Amino acid sequence: MTSPPNTLISTRDLQVGFAIRKGPFSKGLLKAVDGISIDIPKGAFLGVVGESGSGKTTLGRALLQAVPVTGGSATYDDGEVRYDLGQLKGAALKEYRSRAQLIFQDPYAALSPRMTVRDIIAEPLEVMGLTKSRAETDARVREVAATCRLNLEHLRRFPHAFSGGQRQRISIARALVCGPRFVIADEAVAALDVSIQADILNLLKQLQRDLGITFLFISHDLSVVAHTCDHVAVMYLGRIVESAPTRALFRAPRHPYTRALFSAIPSLDPDDRGRAQVLSGEIPSPTNQPSGCTFHPRCPFATERCKREAPQAEKGADGHMVSCHHWRELAAAPDAIRQAEPAE
């Protein structure tokens, strides 16, 4: 299957597994990412959502080559260079790291307390040898700092002097200083107050528009994803079970898991109660995945077919993809999810 034109990141049956010892004489395989095929267009803002343990962060790390790809393929193609991410080593990997960067979740732990803000932002330039002199490095640091709404006097200070939002802008500046085309934001606003979250999200959207950066935005917060992302992929147990343009997904989710996630979004109406669906049990262990549809042990609509047969991904002309045997029946009954026992 070929990738559509204007695709920056493309994966086909991408797999990431970790060997684990199950006993004194046997080993097993933990499938953190299990057969993901996705195309990320240039300049897109793709959101990835799902419960803890669904494989979101591992997917991001695999696309940065921070963890090895154990199966399938992943490619990067920005029109100037093309990389097979599973084969990157040495100088090629170092060059790719200048084109793909990460914004960490915790702005307090991500910055060295012994370095000034200037040195923190300049470090990628110096490690990768992207500038030839200190004057050139300082000029680039000042340019990126201004883009991220940092004042010049901030560059002489240490991280302890800043609030969480300011620290996250420093982290963003460090990620942008080498001019990346692809940035992964892993829960980049989860540790911030709501008002500061809005400021950081607006900054990321502005960077997307002004610099044409492609973002992969990993988050638990569906309201943040709705505000920021152009397209959303829903992960469960290492697989993408549904993906669609943001408005289409929020207007009419098709997979039972997606519908359960959306039903749990708090309402601003204090009289609006009993809408959340309680999923029984927890997400299964990646070392012992259920047969058939991996969601069937928790799905209120599961049938015998779901237990035996894994659903195939179906993609419509509108770009809406879903992996569920019964999504058409659920689409015909949009309020069926509310028939389940409501949350207390």
Side-chain angles (χ1 to χ4, degrees), residues 145-157:
T147 300
C148 295
R149 305 170 190 167
L150 295 169
N151 298 328
L152 291 181
E153 59 266 24
H154 290 164
L155 300 179
R156 298 190 296 269
R157 301 179 186 174

Side-chain angles (χ1 to χ4, degrees), residues 232 234 242-254 258 262 320:
V232 181
V234 182
E242 185 169 7
S243 69
T246 304
R247 289 190 177 184
L249 188 71
F250 276 74
R251 183 173 58 249
R254 295 176 178 175
T258 309
F262 286 5
H320 200 141

Side-chain angles (χ1 to χ4, degrees), residues 9 42 49 62 70 115 121 126 139 145 152 164 178 187 200 216 226 249-250 260 267 272 296 301 313 335:
I9 298 286
K42 296 175 183 176
V49 300
T70 56
M115 298 174 66
I121 298 175
E126 296 168 346
L152 291 181
C178 53
E187 298 282 5
I200 296 298
L216 179 70
L249 188 71
F250 276 74
S267 173
D272 188 7
H296 85 258
F301 309 104
D335 293 328

Side-chain angles (χ1 to χ4, degrees), residues 49-227:
V49 300
E51 292 174 282
S52 296
S54 60
K56 306 184 301 297
T57 295
T58 303
L59 172 62
R61 291 181 176 179
L63 296 180
L64 289 175
Q65 276 302 282
V67 295
V69 173
T70 56
S73 65
T75 58
Y76 168 96
D77 188 352
D78 63 12
E80 297 178 0
V81 294
R82 186 180 188 277
Y83 294 116
D84 181 348
L85 301 185
Q87 305 297 323
L88 283 181
K89 295 180 180 179
L93 178 57
K94 182 177 179 180
E95 205 279 335
Y96 173 66
R97 291 274 168 78
S98 70
R99 297 172 181 266
Q101 283 288 312
L102 173 69
I103 301 171
F104 294 94
Q105 174 179 351
D106 189 349
Y108 294 90
L111 306 179
S112 171
R114 300 186 179 185
M115 298 174 66
T116 64
V117 171
R118 181 268 174 200
D119 291 339
I120 290 171
I121 298 175
E123 187 175 24
L125 296 175
E126 296 168 346
V127 170
M128 298 179 189
L130 299 178
T131 52
K132 299 178 180 179
S133 66
R134 183 178 178 86
E136 185 179 352
T137 300
D138 287 341
R140 176 60 181 162
V141 168
R142 288 193 295 269
E143 177 187 357
V144 171
T147 300
C148 295
R149 305 170 190 167
L150 295 169
N151 298 328
L152 291 181
E153 59 266 24
H154 290 164
L155 300 179
R156 298 190 296 269
R157 301 179 186 174
F158 290 86
H160 73 268
F162 298 93
S163 66
Q166 289 172 319
R167 292 189 191 201
Q168 196 62 297
R169 287 200 293 272
I170 295 169
S171 295
I172 295 171
R174 179 178 58 186
L176 296 182
V177 72
C178 53
R181 311 289 180 83
F182 180 52
V183 173
I184 295 177
D186 188 0
E187 298 282 5
V189 298
L192 306 177
D193 294 338
V194 174
S195 59
I196 305 302
Q197 284 185 8
D199 181 62
I200 296 298
L201 293 173
N202 290 334
L203 173 60
L204 295 179
K205 289 296 290 184
Q206 181 180 346
L207 294 171
Q208 179 203 17
R209 292 191 300 267
D210 296 348
L211 304 179
I213 296 174
T214 302
F215 281 94
L216 179 70
F217 189 82
I218 299 169
S219 180
H220 288 90
D221 193 332
L222 293 170
S223 60
V224 167
V225 170
H227 172 74

